[in-house]
Amino acid sequence: MAPERKDFFSNPQDESDVMNAWHSFLGGGDRPVDTLRALVDASWQRSLEARVDPRMRSGPRPLAEGDLYLLRERQRELLEASAPVMAHARDFLTETGTLMALADTRCTILNTEGDLPAIDSAETIHLMPGATWSEGACGTNAIGTALAVGKPVQIHSAEHFCEGIKRWTCSATVMRHPLDGEVVGVLDVSGLSQTYNRQTLALVVTAASRIEARLAAAEMERRYRLLDRAMGRLSSGDGVVLFDRRGNVVRANEHAALAIRSADGEMELAQGRRRVPGFAVGQQGQLAAGLLPSWVKPEWIEPLIVDGKPLGTLLVVPRTPASGRRAGAGGTAAGAVPCSGMAADPFAAIVTMDEGMNAAIAKARQLARTRMPVLLQGETGVGKEEFARGIHGDSGGPFVALNCGGLSRELLASELFGYADGAFTGARKGGMLGKIEAADGGTLFLDEIGEMPLDMQPNLLRVLEQGEIYRLGENTPRRVNFRLVAATHRDLRQDIAAGRFRMDLFYRIAVTNLRIPALRERQGDVEVLAEHFLERFRRAQGQGPERITPDALRVLRSYPWPGNVRELRNLMEGLVLLCEEPSVTCAHLPHEFQAVHDAVQPGSCNPAGAMSMAEGEEDLIRRAIRASEGNLTLTARKLQIAKSTLYAKMHRYGLSRDDK
């Protein structure tokens, strides 16, 4: 049996054996097969083929100061992403005899941090910013070899190819772009041989992962701004394809595939499936010359530049008359949203006279013309499902809703993904169709998505990215095509920071955000909605009061409405059922409105009765605290709000339990 290669040497005799192997290698002799690691052996071979001088005492001379400055400007994104990691290295590598080096894809060092004596020693071998440490320039070394093999590498002492750096030990790994996996740089930790530690490689890999995570966050934020900028263009009747600045397909509208075929072109439009280098934009917004597909006309291309920075590119392929006829003859194109000017207004169920609410509806109408995922944000009860149904409109296909809150993880998984026959004890015979499959061809509305368990979020992300779903208990994927509208009352960015929500899922579902204002922010809508609900339920019941008195309306306007429109609707439904008089008066309102009633009466703290909603809420809370004698638990119960909500409102208005 052939002897095994050593995994690593750990004593002086091993190092001596490697040095002997090195001399034998340079002299053309054989090397003992068990002396060198395969990684080092292959790297020495590449170094010899590249005609690297094995007697070199150092790396090549670094770039001139001006050239290094220009290089750093070109690599600003990588430098910004690595800044916190490098700053941390400045502290935790102090007195360790090691330094951390950041290099670009040519192995040119951009920055070093760490132990100052180690940095001084490294400069004697030109391990410093501006110097290039590729295998072709310096032979076997961690930076160059990691780039050559595309994985983490540790090179210790005599394993280096060049004589002048054999007293050093170094560990390095490549960093990859989060979207397409392309190598964007190399991270290295180096020191003199006596600083060798096997755990250094793990340290480098962890630090590189932090940099990759920051690159991912920056890229997702950039992609969000890109989609927000291009949203209006994607609703065009032409074929539109949106690329990010690296040339990756981000989104294509429903006309794109047909328009491209009509232009005798071909392009893979699935997101994340293919990078088209010709659509990558440079720092000045220019495209790479000669790389565009031959069927693309220059006038179809539009770089998207925001605040002087290129974010991506639009390809707008005009729809020819032939393509229009083809779509009409064969029905609606795949993925298209059919529309009819004669259809009823899908947002008619939303009653408002507020400017902010009307602006939200206008944006929702624009979103309804696309297939982009939408994240609806707003407090509980503001009407997020009504917006979701409006966005779905008459687009065809089913509208399927699922509330992610209040369900156990197992029940939510089966509701969302479905399950196969016999997937678990008690499973329905024949299995069950999940909500995602049920929404195929239509719209899936996931309410309270912030409540989705963290370990389930990657499964939903995969469905959104790949367009495939696996039922529980099945190994065969099922293709699905649906439009996602998600909703939450939570601040998902805070949940991301706290580790409760995945950043990649957030940026996938929040392609466009739509905030729905709370009822207390909508001037005039309380009165309009109260009268609307009164009339609606009176007709449904065939009985009930016909009007609301001015005093009662004044109380309703001043109430803070923690439950928003839902609370107002439930109140009016109850009044219609219980009030036997022709008018709703203050006496018919529930007891929690009494403090508001007292506050808005003539002769109170606001004799004119012109109290704003915020003032009314503050005074209501103050009176409730007084009535509860400072007992905040009782105060929250009287106000019918959570104790945490009471604390937040008290903080907002500067109140304390002593405000009696």
Side-chain angles (χ1 to χ4, degrees):
M1 180 181 295
E4 296 182 357
R5 293 181 183 270
K6 288 185 177 294
D7 175 58
F8 220 97
F9 54 90
S10 56
N11 57 64
Q13 182 59 49
D14 289 338
E15 185 169 353
S16 176
D17 290 343
V18 174
M19 282 298 297
N20 291 335
W22 180 70
H23 286 295
S24 176
F25 176 77
L26 297 181
D30 295 331
R31 304 175 305 288
V33 72
D34 60 342
T35 300
L36 288 181
R37 294 186 292 148
L39 172 78
V40 176
D41 190 4
S43 179
W44 282 8
Q45 293 281 1
R46 291 193 298 270
S47 302
L48 189 65
E49 292 169 2
R51 300 181 181 275
V52 177
D53 181 2
R55 304 299 176 182
M56 282 174 54
R57 308 300 303 172
S58 66
R61 296 185 63 83
L63 296 172
E65 185 176 348
D67 293 335
L68 178 58
Y69 172 81
L70 294 175
L71 176 61
R72 283 173 165 165
E73 283 297 301
R74 292 194 296 272
Q75 296 291 337
R76 178 174 295 276
E77 179 186 344
L78 180 60
L79 285 166
E80 289 177 350
S82 66
V85 175
M86 299 299 288
H88 193 201
R90 188 185 312 141
D91 298 327
F92 72 73
L93 293 183
T94 298
E95 299 183 359
T96 65
T98 60
L99 62 96
M100 180 174 285
L102 176 74
D104 66 6
T105 54
R106 295 185 177 182
C107 298
T108 302
I109 297 175
L110 303 171
N111 191 20
T112 57
E113 291 286 1
D115 186 53
L116 291 179
I119 291 175
D120 291 340
S121 296
E123 289 182 355
T124 64
I125 61 168
H126 293 159
L127 186 63
M128 59 192 292
T132 298
W133 280 75
S134 64
E135 278 192 344
C138 301
T140 304
N141 72 92
I143 295 175
T145 304
L147 185 67
V149 299
K151 61 183 182 181
V153 165
Q154 197 165 34
I155 302 296
H156 179 48
S157 191
E159 290 182 325
H160 288 89
F161 184 75
C162 294
E163 187 174 20
I165 54 177
K166 285 184 177 291
R167 61 193 187 98
W168 285 78
T169 184
C170 45
S171 306
T173 187
V174 294
M175 294 171 290
R176 298 183 181 276
H177 194 275
L179 293 182
D180 50 31
E182 182 181 358
V183 174
V184 295
V186 184
L187 193 67
D188 167 79
V189 170
S190 293
L192 293 173
S193 297
Q194 59 267 28
T195 66
Y196 164 71
N197 188 319
R198 282 182 181 271
Q199 302 306 316
T200 303
L201 188 59
L203 166 68
V204 171
V205 171
T206 301
S209 297
R210 288 183 57 197
I211 295 174
E212 289 174 339
R214 286 180 57 84
L215 286 170
E219 190 64 44
M220 289 300 181
E221 186 69 27
R222 195 177 294 111
R223 179 165 287 203
Y224 171 77
R225 288 188 286 125
L226 174 64
L227 284 162
D228 194 54
R229 179 64 176 265
M231 181 181 62
R233 302 298 303 278
L234 285 165
S235 60
S236 166
D238 294 324
V240 182
V241 184
L242 177 64
F243 299 86
D244 66 16
R245 62 202 179 101
R246 297 171 63 83
N248 295 300
V249 174
V250 175
R251 189 75 76 242
N253 71 357
E254 60 267 28
H255 308 301
L258 188 56
I260 290 172
R261 287 198 300 270
S262 298
D264 295 325
E266 184 178 348
M267 181 176 292
E268 174 59 64
L269 297 179
Q271 182 180 350
R273 297 294 179 86
R274 181 186 174 194
R275 181 182 177 195
V276 187
F279 291 99
V281 290
Q283 291 186 327
Q284 305 303 319
Q286 75 279 8
L287 298 180
L291 296 180
L292 285 172
S294 59
W295 56 270
V296 174
K297 297 181 180 180
E299 60 267 27
W300 294 349
I301 300 170
E302 178 185 334
L304 293 177
I305 300 176
V306 179
D307 298 330
K309 297 180 179 179
L311 293 181
T313 309
L314 274 175
L315 171 64
V316 183
V317 184
R319 295 182 72 194
T320 64
S323 68
R325 286 194 301 272
R326 206 170 303 160
T332 305
V337 180
C339 60
S340 170
M342 301 300 293
D345 181 5
F347 293 94
I350 303 174
V351 178
T352 184
M353 294 186 67
D354 179 67
E355 182 179 344
M357 192 68 165
N358 279 318
I361 293 173
K363 184 175 182 180
R365 290 186 193 279
Q366 189 177 15
L367 294 173
R369 296 194 295 268
T370 75
R371 297 282 292 178
M372 288 184 184
V374 179
L375 178 64
L376 303 176
Q377 295 177 294
E379 297 178 7
T380 299
V382 295
K384 295 188 286 291
E385 182 164 347
E386 284 72 17
F387 269 83
R389 290 185 181 277
I391 291 171
H392 171 69
D394 59 354
S395 60
F399 177 87
V400 179
L402 176 65
N403 192 313
C404 299
L407 297 177
S408 67
R409 184 200 178 283
E410 293 74 17
L411 183 57
L412 179 59
S414 62
E415 284 287 325
L416 196 59
F417 301 104
Y419 55 80
D421 186 11
F424 50 85
T425 302
R428 183 184 303 172
K429 184 174 179 60
M432 187 183 82
L433 183 76
K435 293 294 192 293
I436 294 178
E437 278 188 86
D440 189 30
T443 300
L444 176 66
F445 174 54
L446 293 183
D447 199 4
E448 299 302 348
I449 195 169
E451 308 296 331
M452 179 175 287
L454 188 63
D455 61 345
M456 278 187 60
Q457 294 173 22
N459 299 327
L460 176 60
L461 179 63
R462 187 186 184 283
V463 174
L464 298 175
E465 293 286 357
Q466 304 296 330
E468 294 180 345
I469 185 174
Y470 289 85
R471 288 187 182 181
L472 302 180
E474 279 189 349
N475 296 320
T476 303
R478 299 168 181 260
R479 297 294 300 175
V480 287
N481 178 25
F482 61 93
R483 192 254 186 82
L484 176 69
V485 180
T488 183
H489 72 282
R490 304 171 65 101
D491 186 337
L492 293 186
R493 292 183 183 273
Q494 288 188 3
D495 287 349
I496 291 170
R500 293 189 295 267
F501 202 83
R502 291 178 62 100
M503 179 187 299
D504 47 6
L505 179 59
F506 171 76
Y507 285 110
R508 189 66 181 82
I509 66 175
V511 172
T512 50
N513 275 303
L514 183 61
R515 180 184 177 274
I516 305 172
L519 181 56
R520 62 180 172 276
E521 301 172 12
R522 294 157 53 179
Q523 296 294 326
D525 271 4
V526 172
E527 183 173 344
V528 172
L529 284 166
E531 293 177 343
H532 166 76
F533 287 133
L534 179 69
E535 179 64 18
R536 169 180 159 186
F537 292 124
R538 190 180 70 83
R539 289 188 175 183
Q541 297 297 330
Q543 63 178 25
E546 298 180 0
R547 58 187 293 270
I548 308 172
T549 64
D551 285 346
L553 283 174
R554 189 181 305 117
V555 172
L556 295 180
R557 284 195 299 266
S558 300
Y559 183 68
W561 298 108
N564 288 289
V565 178
R566 181 184 295 124
E567 183 182 5
L568 176 57
R569 182 191 63 202
N570 293 343
L571 170 67
M572 299 313 299
E573 185 174 15
L575 289 173
V576 167
L577 292 172
L578 299 176
C579 180
E580 298 180 351
E581 299 177 23
S583 299
V584 174
T585 67
C586 293
H588 297 113
L589 299 178
H591 67 88
E592 61 264 25
F593 289 82
Q594 185 59 47
V596 180
H597 173 264
D598 295 342
V600 299
Q601 290 308 300
S604 68
C605 60
N606 190 352
M611 180 179 291
S612 71
M613 290 185 182
E615 290 170 338
E617 182 176 58
E618 178 183 353
D619 192 71
L620 174 63
I621 294 172
R622 192 189 304 275
R623 287 172 176 269
I625 293 173
R626 184 183 302 124
S628 303
E629 298 182 345
N631 185 325
L632 298 185
T633 300
L634 183 57
T635 300
R637 190 177 302 132
K638 284 179 177 291
L639 294 172
Q640 294 189 333
I641 60 176
K643 197 172 180 180
S644 59
T645 303
L646 174 62
Y647 286 145
K649 292 180 181 295
M650 289 174 64
H651 178 73
R652 181 192 305 167
Y653 299 125
L655 300 176
S656 72
R657 67 175 67 241
D658 298 323
D659 289 314
K660 302 176 185 177

